[in-house]
Amino acid sequence: MPATRYRLSWFEYARSQPGVILHYLRLVFWPQPLVLDYSWPPAQTVGDILPGAIVVAGLLAATGYAFWKWPAWGLLGAWFFLLLAPTSSVMPLADLAVEHRMYLPLAAIAVVVVLGAYAVSGALALSRAAQGNGSRLPAGQCWSRAGHPHLAAKQRLPR
């Protein structure tokens, strides 16, 4: 079956992209179905456009806030949107959705997931140590506390 191609204006293309971006983000975490040619229909109604536009606007706002408050995290969000922008903005291309457009932006999402998991695991280890379960600390954290000469000297000082 041949793929359906749409001749779209820049506005029709741009209003369809928030839904496509949400689809890309869903595929990052649940990659099914992977399709060679989506033949994605252009968004026509407010119901097609508004949910994706609200979520993408929220992600852009969160990126801006993170860039102001925590620049390293904000840079990852900016990296995602800036890499996706040439193919998901107002320059109409033949296809509305093609998975290979997410190859480079996917790296930013992978870094966020890995660093977020690392931060959460470190926070869990520290909360266990605060509860008195120091034996459950990862080996690297136990060594850094016991083997650091300044910390060891401070622990020997009388209070």
Side-chain angles (χ1 to χ4, degrees):
M1 176 191 252
T4 306
R5 299 282 187 243
Y6 299 97
R7 288 246 170 213
L8 301 174
S9 70
W10 67 269
F11 183 69
E12 291 170 319
Y13 188 82
R15 73 180 185 206
S16 299
Q17 286 306 299
V20 173
I21 291 171
L22 285 184
H23 178 72
Y24 290 158
L25 289 173
R26 187 187 62 76
L27 287 177
V28 166
F29 297 101
W30 192 262
Q32 196 268 335
L34 297 176
V35 179
L36 185 61
D37 188 4
Y38 281 100
S39 296
W40 194 283
Q44 299 294 328
T45 66
V46 173
D48 293 340
I49 300 166
L50 199 57
I54 289 172
V55 172
V56 170
L59 290 172
L60 280 168
T63 296
Y65 180 75
F67 203 75
W68 172 63
K69 195 78 169 162
W70 307 284
W73 289 100
L75 180 64
L76 291 170
W79 179 14
F80 172 78
F81 283 112
L82 289 174
L83 288 173
L84 197 57
T87 58
S88 294
S89 58
V90 295
M91 298 182 312
L93 300 174
D95 289 315
L96 282 170
V98 181
E99 291 162 2
H100 71 266
R101 293 179 189 161
M102 273 296 289
Y103 289 170
L104 287 175
L106 177 62
I109 296 171
V111 170
V112 167
V113 169
V114 169
L115 290 178
Y118 181 75
V120 167
S121 70
L124 289 175
L126 290 176
S127 70
R128 286 183 191 144
Q131 294 171 359
N133 298 331
S135 61
R136 295 183 185 176
L137 282 175
Q141 288 183 354
C142 290
W143 178 84
S144 68
R145 287 195 170 94
H148 195 276
H150 298 294
L151 291 177
K154 287 180 182 178
Q155 290 173 352
R156 285 189 295 236
L157 293 175
R159 294 182 187 206

